[in-house]
Amino acid sequence: MENLKLEFNKAAQFLAAGAVESYEPKAKAALEALENGTCKGNDFLGWLHLPSETTQAFLDDVKATAQVLRENCEAVVVAGIGGSYLGARAVIECLENTFSWLLPAKGPRILFAGNNIGEDYLSELIGYLKGKKFGVINISKSGTTTETAITFRLLKKMCEDQRGKEEAKKVIVAITDAKKGAARTTADKEGYKSFVIPDNVGGRFSVLTPVGLLPIACAGFDIDQLIAGAQAMEAQTAVDVPFCENPSAMYAAVRNALYAAGKKIEILANFQPKLHFMNEWWKQLYGESEGKDGKGIFPAAVDFTTDLHSMGQWIQDGERTIFETVISVSAPNQCLEVPSDEENLDGLNFLAGKRIDQVNKMAELGTQLAHVDGGVPNLRIVLPCLNEYYVGQLIYFFEKGCGISGEILGVNTFNQPGVEAYKKNMFALLNKPGYEAESKAIQERLG
Ligand code: PA5
């Protein structure tokens, strides 16, 4: 099996000679700080060796639990937000048939909720689930996140009403802290099957824990291969691998060199719609990890070629503060050719007999050339194909790159103090017990 590759020559050409290489000592120091546990936020390094420490017994337990849900449910709702949601959705959408929801079901439909407070969204979800045999995977590390907790309250009641309390217990699974939080209290009191989110793994680094693995297994995908891919990338990015062979270290070095040169925005681009939620997961991973202390590259994302017809103008011609990282998938899993047409009214016969992916690849190359000409440094992450193994590699590549990059930047990569600000105001406005002083202050402020 090969490994994903990072190409950055079309980014380095925008930097002074040797600029990327000058980050080698910093990348090495960051890797050592992660490995030795001396980096900032070192109580959240559980993700670092997670792939190699994952046991077969644990994977078998996850798979057995997924099988119970698959056998007893027409739909499984994954309730979670942020790091308790995006990784599972990213992996499932990379791997599943894009139109699976319109095809005869081979297993339960995997639905996502608890990631917003939209009354219409929740009402429509409940409308869809009415009369259906559904299960719930309730995911919250803190066990108290409002979006997820409201959703779980609604779904628990509905599941119990439709199946009876005893049957509902078989199809509700909790993934939460070992001891604290309302999700743990409820799981223990009700006797739900539960998995623990390790204390030392933060939400956005948790996709390779049960947080991601159980929904992915429930959707019918091979979590052994996902972990195997992550293990390969763990080895490829280990502390003793030379800098020029370590794709995560080089990615961290290039993006920090570009940032220092005034490139404040990184646009992650793909040419496969299946990667849309991988973009979303990556935005959280890098945005929440690096955007603090008044610093950090702003992570943006686009789906090409779709967004070439909307954001393409800005990328080509707008303010030159951006660089672009493209996830390029070498081979599609399906085969489809452009048909020939006798009349050729659309003038497309010059493409007849070509694979659709050949056209896509020329769009990709043409875009790279145009954007580089337009002053946009370009990196490419090349994946052989989209399967569990390479998606596992991609996840770990980005996690390790993030750990190294945040340490080079000088921030605590693993905390997210900024996320609390809106919650405090929301709780004060909703008169949550314990927020009386904040409530009074906010009422005065609003007049
Ligand atoms: O990465 C993070 O820590 C956050 O995005 C959390 O995952 C998110 O806020 C959800 O938190 P919890 O799992 O506690 O419900």
Side-chain angles (χ1 to χ4, degrees), residues 5-32:
K5 292 192 175 46
L6 177 77
E7 295 172 3
F8 60 87
N9 56 328
K10 291 192 168 49
Q13 73 185 63
F14 289 87
L15 296 164
V20 174
E21 293 71 19
S22 75
Y23 276 84
E24 180 175 346
K26 288 183 190 159
K28 193 168 181 306
L31 263 165
E32 280 166 3

Side-chain angles (χ1 to χ4, degrees), residues 4-5 327-331 381-386 390-391 393-394:
L4 65 76
K5 292 192 175 46
I327 304 178
S328 178
V329 181
S330 298
I381 298 159
V382 183
L383 282 187
C385 67
L386 279 183
Y390 290 117
V391 170
Q393 284 198 4
L394 185 65

Side-chain angles (χ1 to χ4, degrees), residues 35 39 132 159 161 167 176 208 213 262 323 339 367 382 414 421 427:
E35 193 59 41
C39 63
K132 290 204 170 57
C159 191
D161 288 349
E167 281 301 303
T176 188
L208 300 176
L213 295 178
F323 66 99
T367 304
V382 183
F414 306 107
F427 292 148

Side-chain angles (χ1 to χ4, degrees), residues 80-86 139-148 175-176 197 201-206 211 284 288 414-416 419-420 422-423:
I81 192 167
S84 292
Y85 151 64
L86 286 163
I139 310 178
S140 178
K141 184 168 183 195
S142 64
T144 54
T145 299
T146 311
E147 291 88 339
T148 309
I175 304 178
T176 188
I197 307 175
V201 181
R204 59 191 172 276
F205 285 85
S206 70
V211 169
Q284 189 208 357
E288 216 167 71
F414 306 107
N415 66 4
Q416 54 283 326
V419 179
E420 296 309 312
Y422 97 92
K423 291 186 196 167

Side-chain angles (χ1 to χ4, degrees), residues 9 39 42 44 54 59 64-65 96 107 109 120 153 229 239 243 252 263 273 295 305 310 338 365 375 382 407 409 430:
N9 56 328
C39 63
N42 56 5
F44 283 99
T54 300
L59 290 173
T65 307
E96 77 177 354
R109 305 261 184 235
D120 288 345
R153 178 183 276 218
V239 67
F243 175 68
K263 304 298 179 190
K295 344 187 228 192
T305 60
S310 60
V338 179
L365 181 55
V382 183
E407 187 64 12
L409 187 65
L430 288 167

Side-chain angles (χ1 to χ4, degrees), residues 51-345:
S52 57
E53 285 167 1
T54 300
T55 64
Q56 194 57 51
F58 162 75
L59 290 173
D60 290 345
D61 186 15
V62 172
K63 286 188 271 184
T65 307
Q67 194 53 30
V68 172
L69 292 169
R70 284 178 67 80
E71 282 167 9
N72 292 284
C73 301
E74 294 164 81
V76 172
V77 186
V78 180
I81 192 167
S84 292
Y85 151 64
L86 286 163
R89 187 156 190 184
V91 174
I92 291 170
E93 295 211 0
C94 273
L95 300 173
E96 77 177 354
N97 185 308
T98 310
F99 299 98
S100 59
W101 52 287
L102 294 172
L103 296 168
K106 289 194 189 142
R109 305 261 184 235
I110 308 298
L111 307 169
F112 294 93
N115 54 65
N116 64 65
I117 326 177
E119 187 162 337
D120 288 345
Y121 186 96
L122 286 168
S123 302
E124 286 160 15
L125 174 70
I126 280 172
Y128 172 78
L129 294 172
K130 198 160 186 219
K132 290 204 170 57
K133 287 183 170 178
F134 75 90
V136 187
I137 305 176
N138 185 34
I139 310 178
S140 178
K141 184 168 183 195
S142 64
T144 54
T145 299
T146 311
E147 291 88 339
T148 309
I150 292 173
T151 301
F152 183 64
R153 178 183 276 218
L154 285 163
L155 295 177
K156 175 178 186 289
K157 180 173 185 319
M158 188 176 182
C159 191
E160 289 173 350
D161 288 349
Q162 290 189 177
R163 303 180 86 137
K165 213 166 166 60
E166 283 311 305
E167 281 301 303
K169 276 185 198 177
K170 290 187 196 155
V171 291
I172 298 179
V173 181
I175 304 178
T176 188
D177 187 83
K179 297 198 183 82
K180 58 181 189 306
R184 170 53 59 198
T185 309
T186 309
D188 288 350
K189 178 162 178 299
E190 300 287 10
Y192 299 150
K193 168 75 180 174
S194 69
F195 289 95
V196 171
I197 307 175
D199 265 348
N200 60 356
V201 181
R204 59 191 172 276
F205 285 85
S206 70
V207 55
L208 300 176
T209 73
V211 169
L213 295 178
L214 182 61
I216 294 164
C218 244
F221 297 112
D222 187 340
I223 57 173
D224 292 4
Q225 279 300 303
L226 190 80
I227 293 293
Q231 283 171 353
M233 201 38 57
E234 184 186 332
Q236 188 63 51
T237 60
V239 67
D240 52 352
V241 172
F243 175 68
C244 60
E245 291 169 27
N246 181 332
S248 297
M250 289 189 289
Y251 177 53
V254 176
R255 56 199 307 283
N256 273 282
L258 289 166
Y259 183 59
K263 304 298 179 190
K264 306 290 187 194
I265 300 166
E266 178 175 9
I267 301 177
L268 188 70
N270 66 67
F271 283 79
Q272 301 290 344
K274 285 175 189 286
L275 283 163
H276 174 80
F277 265 92
M278 190 55 78
N279 284 0
E280 296 302 305
W281 171 79
W282 170 87
K283 280 198 299 195
Q284 189 208 357
L285 181 64
Y286 279 78
E288 216 167 71
S289 296
E290 291 191 321
K292 52 196 69 156
D293 306 338
K295 344 187 228 192
I297 295 169
F298 182 81
V302 287
D303 299 316
F304 289 159
T305 60
T306 310
D307 291 334
L308 286 171
H309 298 257
S310 60
M311 294 300 290
Q313 173 60 38
W314 200 103
I315 296 169
Q316 187 68 42
D317 231 4
E319 193 180 13
R320 301 296 74 185
T321 47
I322 55 173
F323 66 99
E324 189 171 62
T325 301
V326 177
I327 304 178
S328 178
V329 181
S330 298
N333 291 319
Q334 316 283 339
C335 182
L336 187 65
E337 289 179 359
V338 179
S340 175
D341 185 287
E342 216 167 278
E343 290 192 85
N344 195 26
L345 293 176

